[in-house]
Amino acid sequence: LAKTTQPISMDSYEGQEVNITCSHNNIATNDYITWYQQFPSQGPRFIIQGYKTKVTNEVASLFIPADRKSSTLSLPRVSLSDTAVYYCLVDDDMDSNYQLIWGAGTKLIIKP
Amino acid sequence: DSGVTQTPKHLITATGQRVTLRCSPRSGDLSVYWYQQSLDQGLQFLIHYYNGEERAKGNILERFSAQQFPDLHSELNLSSLELGDSALYFCASSFSDEKLFFGSGTQLSVL
């Protein structure tokens, strides 16, 4: 099963760029990498998804090196409202028991 | 608003009881997933249904069961409840498995 490893927590300040790295050493050739954001007592919300190189949308960028064993979520100019838990998700279908594997999440705290 | 509807939002019950959580997926989504999240924990995958059929099982207890109906809504049944079953239960739906849309969850409190 493809597992992910993320830092448990990170701190930063308003206006800074934040980079959260996720390791996924056993990622399969066809797997996508997806990041979600979760606020307390709310369901996770899709942020960004990628397969290789770089993906950018209105809220974040996702960098994936050529070996795809890791990925980095980049949040530009964070604000207090970006304080949340961020999950790295790898699409795993290596077994017949297809399921999505969630990392433990990174608790990001943004300070004024 | 994700388009996924979960009811009820809150549920308080006693040990030994049985409850049913309901999920209506986004229009057009065939997949429904159930997750359990205990306090300050990550999401634990329970079960995945696709177009009415069970596709994958995760860490779902034998006391728990689920189904997806022809109209694609899903129900998660929790029986013989224990204190440790208190958690947030999320439903998610998807059209493609790579992108999930989550409901706002059902907060279950077992007293």
Side-chain angles (χ1 to χ4, degrees), chain A residues 25-91:
Chain A
N25 291 321
N26 296 323
I27 189 169
T29 304
N30 296 326
D31 285 348
Y32 278 79
I33 300 148
T34 311
W35 286 79
Y36 288 82
Q37 176 193 55
Q38 186 181 27
F39 298 112
S41 299
Q42 294 186 27
R45 182 176 71 101
F46 172 88
I47 300 175
I48 198 166
Q49 180 181 81
Y51 180 77
K52 63 180 179 180
T53 62
K54 177 183 175 183
V55 179
T56 297
N57 62 22
E58 64 276 8
V59 297
S61 294
L62 179 60
F63 298 92
I64 305 169
D67 65 6
R68 303 199 334 121
K69 292 184 183 299
S70 66
S71 59
T72 299
L73 174 72
S74 181
L75 305 172
R77 298 180 297 282
V78 293
S79 64
L80 296 177
S81 63
D82 291 315
T83 294
V85 177
Y86 292 81
Y87 291 95
C88 170
L89 181 70
V90 173
D91 179 338

Side-chain angles (χ1 to χ4, degrees), chain A residues 30 32 34 36 38 41-46 49 87 89 91 96-100 102-104 107, chain B residues 33 35 37 41-43 45 48 55-58 88 90 97-105 107:
Chain A
N30 296 326
Y32 278 79
T34 311
Y36 288 82
Q38 186 181 27
S41 299
Q42 294 186 27
R45 182 176 71 101
F46 172 88
Q49 180 181 81
Y87 291 95
L89 181 70
D91 179 338
S96 58
N97 184 22
Y98 174 90
Q99 62 180 284
L100 300 174
W102 289 70
K107 187 171 186 178
Chain B
Y33 304 78
Y35 288 87
Q37 187 173 38
Q41 300 293 312
L43 278 81
F45 168 71
H48 170 205
R55 188 171 181 188
K57 260 187 177 181
L88 259 171
F90 288 108
D97 289 316
E98 288 82 16
K99 186 173 180 179
L100 304 181
F101 294 86
F102 282 81
S104 55
Q107 177 68 62

Side-chain angles (χ1 to χ4, degrees), chain B residues 22-94:
Chain B
R22 182 188 170 98
C23 171
S24 295
R26 291 189 323 151
S27 177
D29 286 355
L30 299 179
S31 277
V32 170
Y33 304 78
W34 286 97
Y35 288 87
Q36 178 192 57
Q37 187 173 38
S38 301
L39 191 63
D40 293 330
Q41 300 293 312
L43 278 81
Q44 296 296 314
F45 168 71
L46 295 178
I47 199 162
H48 170 205
Y49 278 87
Y50 178 82
N51 201 22
E53 294 190 2
E54 180 185 305
R55 188 171 181 188
K57 260 187 177 181
N59 300 320
I60 186 166
L61 301 173
E62 287 190 7
R63 300 184 286 109
F64 297 180
S65 64
Q67 55 183 328
Q68 186 179 27
F69 295 87
D71 67 353
L72 300 177
H73 91 271
S74 178
E75 293 181 355
L76 179 67
N77 300 297
L78 315 176
S79 61
S80 303
L81 285 168
E82 303 175 358
L83 296 178
D85 297 327
S86 295
L88 259 171
Y89 290 84
F90 288 108
C91 164
S93 75
S94 74

